[in-house]
Amino acid sequence: MAQERIVPEFDSSSVKMSREEGLRLYEDMVLGRVFEDKCAEMYYRGKMFGFVHLYNGQEAVASGVIKSMRQDEDFVCSTYRDHVHALSAGVPAREVMAELFGKATGCSKGRGGSMHMFSAEHKLLGGYAFVAEGIPVATGAAFQSKYRRETMGDESADQVTACFFGDGACNNGQFFECLNMAALWKLPVLYVVENNKWAIGMAHDRATSVPEIYKKAHAFGMHGVEVDGMDVLAVREVAKEAIARARAGEGPTVIEALTYRFRGHSLADPDELRSKDEKEFWFPRDPIKRFAGYLTSKELATEAQLKDIDRKIQALVDDAVKFALESPEPDPSELYKYVFVDD
């Protein structure tokens, strides 16, 4: 097996975390995992259709970044692997599940499906099927925040944008063009690279001349940092620093989170390309189990409390499925609605 690239272990001794915040992070990560497992079940039972890309294993990245932001104020921009970003941003599980079922009660009114979650209310700028498609959108959102604040004099416009994308997107032109603009204009944006080692079936190391993506930020005079994407505490600390810098007008950050998806690229992928040795290296680094161990060792939670959260989330997800199944299909008479601006 090739040498696995991991960052130095994060020293959690300096972390300041309340019991409430710890349980909130744990609950968010468990929600992401249980929700995605239920999606797999529904897909394989023939209840859900189309392409479905699951997030299992990467929960520490979504929770660590998004839960460090201001919910319903700061902006989040996702990819086609967007269910858990939506949940972390505050979109109700019922609305996300209904969208996956193509129902009118979904967050995109049943028009987006798995890859196009959107919620103006929760400042979720969308999931995007095209690789790197969300990077210019997020850059534009960051630009409008800065413009409103500095040019239009709106002191309340200090929102930060977090843009999530995978390692494969970092070979696309939009990545470099947007990094250049963001650095030039000191935009309040976090470019969060979820490096899970694989762009569908292409190994990251085979596709790029410089595998350390965070170093590419330095070419633009931008702050770049790598972080253990399987450790929510490490992600949270890096995110908090980057958010504070962005909000203070000190410009963007590239955060390369080294993570791993526990399932294939999508539910249609038999996952035969990744080696058994590679999986056996990454699977024990499960971010939820690691964080549960931290909470109990620091006496921020008991095993019983964590089990209660697990049961609560399972009931929440079961309710979301029931809601989605019982929700109405979009009315055919509204086929052209939302295509053009309403009068």
Side-chain angles (χ1 to χ4, degrees):
M1 184 180 78
Q3 181 67 35
E4 292 291 337
R5 175 186 161 211
I6 57 172
V7 295
E9 188 171 341
F10 176 69
D11 180 8
S12 62
S13 61
S14 61
V15 170
K16 293 188 174 82
M17 177 177 286
S18 68
R19 180 186 302 271
E20 291 73 25
E21 186 176 10
L23 293 177
R24 186 170 70 111
L25 275 176
Y26 179 78
E27 185 170 316
D28 192 58
M29 293 170 72
V30 171
L31 173 59
R33 178 69 59 86
V34 174
F35 188 95
E36 297 292 68
D37 284 345
K38 182 59 73 172
C39 287
E41 178 191 335
M42 291 295 106
Y43 182 89
Y44 290 131
R45 286 174 57 188
K47 302 289 187 181
M48 191 182 291
F49 305 96
F51 286 104
V52 180
H53 307 80
L54 300 187
Y55 199 75
N56 299 55
Q58 301 182 204
E59 295 89 354
V61 186
S63 296
V65 174
I66 298 173
K67 289 305 181 186
S68 299
M69 304 174 77
R70 296 178 186 164
Q71 186 168 312
D72 302 337
E73 290 186 35
D74 290 333
F75 297 97
V76 174
C77 201
S78 186
T79 66
Y80 48 72
R81 205 179 298 279
D82 58 351
H83 317 157
V84 178
H85 294 144
L87 293 169
S88 291
V91 183
R94 280 183 162 197
E95 292 184 21
V96 179
M97 191 66 78
E99 188 58 41
L100 281 155
F101 279 81
K103 297 300 185 70
T105 54
C107 58
S108 300
K109 312 299 183 190
R111 288 159 170 78
S114 173
M115 296 189 281
H116 300 283
M117 299 290 165
F118 174 83
S119 176
E121 177 187 353
H122 299 94
K123 299 297 188 289
L124 178 68
L125 299 176
Y128 295 90
F130 290 165
V131 174
E133 186 183 8
I135 301 177
V137 175
T139 304
F143 176 82
Q144 65 85 30
S145 293
K146 185 180 178 71
Y147 187 87
R148 281 169 49 212
R149 184 177 180 85
E150 296 186 2
T151 304
M152 301 180 70
D154 183 355
E155 289 299 317
S156 68
D158 64 344
Q159 295 84 9
V160 172
T161 299
C163 179
F164 294 87
F165 49 93
D167 46 282
C170 298
N171 296 323
N172 286 38
Q174 297 101 310
F175 174 71
F176 299 101
E177 293 169 11
C178 289
L179 256 61
N180 182 57
M181 286 187 283
L184 189 64
W185 298 330
K186 288 193 173 181
L187 299 184
V189 58
L190 280 57
Y191 294 111
V192 185
V193 186
E194 300 188 280
N195 184 353
N196 61 27
K197 291 174 55 73
W198 291 86
I200 308 182
M202 172 57 73
H204 173 62
D205 290 353
R206 292 183 59 203
T208 184
S209 57
V210 180
E212 296 85 2
I213 298 168
Y214 75 99
K215 293 181 178 178
K216 297 179 182 181
H218 304 159
F220 301 95
M222 185 187 299
H223 188 58
V225 60
E226 60 178 341
V227 66
D228 183 353
M230 307 300 272
D231 184 348
V232 71
L233 295 171
V235 175
R236 172 178 169 269
E237 288 302 303
V238 165
K240 285 169 66 177
E241 180 184 340
I243 292 164
R245 289 182 64 256
R247 225 180 287 284
E250 296 173 15
T253 302
V254 169
I255 300 173
E256 182 185 4
L258 301 179
T259 186
Y260 200 71
R261 51 176 163 80
F262 288 172
R263 292 179 179 268
H265 170 69
S266 75
L267 287 177
D269 174 14
D271 196 22
E272 296 171 346
L273 293 168
R274 302 186 299 174
S275 72
K276 181 172 178 286
D277 287 344
E278 180 181 292
K279 293 177 186 177
E280 288 178 350
F281 174 87
W282 285 96
F283 283 8
R285 301 171 65 82
D286 188 313
I288 297 177
K289 291 179 180 176
R290 289 175 74 181
F291 189 52
Y294 171 83
L295 291 174
T296 53
S297 68
K298 296 295 182 182
E299 298 184 349
L300 292 172
T302 64
E303 292 280 359
Q305 284 176 309
L306 299 184
K307 290 291 184 187
D308 284 344
I309 290 175
D310 294 346
R311 283 190 287 269
K312 180 178 107 173
I313 294 301
Q314 187 64 60
L316 179 75
V317 172
D318 289 342
D319 170 75
V321 171
K322 184 174 184 292
F323 174 79
L325 288 170
E326 294 175 352
S327 290
E329 302 277 350
D331 193 309
S333 68
E334 295 187 345
L335 179 63
Y336 297 107
K337 193 173 183 183
Y338 308 115
V339 176
F340 303 103
V341 176
D342 290 336
D343 292 333

